[in-house]
Amino acid sequence: MKAARVTIPTLCLAAAALLSACSAGGPATAPSTAPPSSGSTSADVIASPTGSAQASVPAGVPAGLGALPGLSSAGGASGNDALALLPAKFPLPSGATGLYGGRTGGATAVVFTVPDVSAAIAFYRDALPKAGFPLAADSLGFPLGFTGSGITEGVIGVSGNAVGVSIYGTFTAAGEPSPRSGDTATAGGGPATGGTITISQDSTPLTEPCGNATVNLEGDSDDVTLTGSCQAINVSGDSDHVVADSAGRVNLSGDADEVTVNSGSPAVTKTGIDDMVRAG
């Protein structure tokens, strides 16, 4: 099954205190400023601009993030469902807990709490380029701006202990079905059993029906639940946590991975360091 695509039209932002006039070709931009250096201090960590803050924000979201594009006071996802709206492979700092996720006005917005916002901003200055999201000079007045494949504009703002990410563009969300190779359609419209499931995003909570497929987990620091019977589970990423209903084989070549198989006695191969396979 091919991954569904999230298509988000690029729109101009109408926040006068933040942006210059919109151009016909895409979202408005503020005057360019160089991204903060990696050696910055907590003084660089600022709340989102407040001049155009919304009168109301989603429940639980700090008012200082009211200017973040994509927020809506009605509806929205929370917890892992909120984090799943971020792009595949988008990095998450340690301890991130989803508060809000939604799409409004052409932007996708995700807000999560972290133990330390200063550490989170420092984390993103380092992790975003490595994950394929280069830093952008134009941050619309927020602490960080970034782009990426299919992303025309992304910003990260902070307020209190919350981090807000807002994205314009076209991208595959982390929580959308992983692409399978070798699948064929069934009469019911779903994939046939067997085939291969490849999971390559990092730091992502994901539940995937196995359907007797072979699962290749290539990402790092993922939390994956596999329902049904798996033919084999091959983990080449590091620090992954997998819970499977059943599996015929488990092959671990990454490091510090943990796989729990709730039923059956799979054949196990471990070539990584500090790997563990256990019964549920």
Side-chain angles (χ1 to χ4, degrees):
M1 177 184 353
K2 293 184 178 179
R5 302 289 296 181
V6 177
T7 302
I8 303 175
T10 302
L11 299 179
C12 294
L13 305 183
L18 296 176
L19 310 176
S20 60
C22 291
S23 65
T29 58
S32 296
T33 56
S37 67
S38 58
S40 60
T41 66
S42 60
D44 295 314
V45 181
I46 59 173
S48 303
T50 57
S52 63
Q54 298 173 184
S56 61
V57 295
V61 174
L65 289 176
L68 192 74
L71 293 178
S72 173
S73 58
S78 60
N80 287 342
D81 290 339
L83 299 178
L85 294 179
L86 290 167
K89 298 188 178 181
F90 195 86
L92 283 171
S94 177
T97 302
L99 273 182
Y100 168 86
R103 302 182 180 112
T104 303
T108 295
V110 176
V111 180
F112 50 88
T113 59
V114 291
D116 184 336
V117 293
S118 298
I121 291 297
F123 165 81
Y124 275 122
R125 287 177 184 140
D126 177 68
L128 283 174
K130 293 179 179 178
F133 303 93
L135 299 183
D138 181 10
S139 64
L140 307 184
F142 293 85
L144 285 180
F146 62 92
T147 58
S149 179
I151 295 174
T152 57
E153 197 159 49
V155 294
I156 296 176
V158 297
S159 182
N161 69 332
V163 176
V165 181
S166 179
I167 301 171
Y168 285 85
T170 302
F171 58 89
T172 299
E176 291 174 356
S178 302
R180 295 171 179 249
S181 62
D183 281 344
T184 56
T186 65
T193 59
T196 303
I197 301 171
T198 300
I199 301 171
S200 58
Q201 59 260 42
D202 297 327
S203 304
T204 303
L206 180 68
T207 299
E208 182 77 25
C210 221
N212 203 35
T214 294
V215 178
N216 296 323
L217 178 52
E218 301 172 353
D220 298 329
S221 302
D222 292 315
D223 189 353
V224 178
T225 300
L226 300 172
T227 60
S229 176
C230 301
Q231 189 172 100
I233 301 172
N234 303 318
V235 183
S236 58
D238 299 329
S239 302
D240 292 310
H241 180 264
V242 180
V243 176
D245 286 345
S246 67
R249 300 189 309 277
V250 176
N251 305 309
L252 304 180
S253 58
D255 298 332
D257 295 311
E258 180 179 321
V259 177
T260 300
V261 180
N262 290 327
S263 64
S265 300
V268 175
T269 301
K270 295 189 291 184
T271 58
I273 301 173
D274 295 329
D275 292 324
M276 178 183 298
V277 178
R278 61 185 181 184

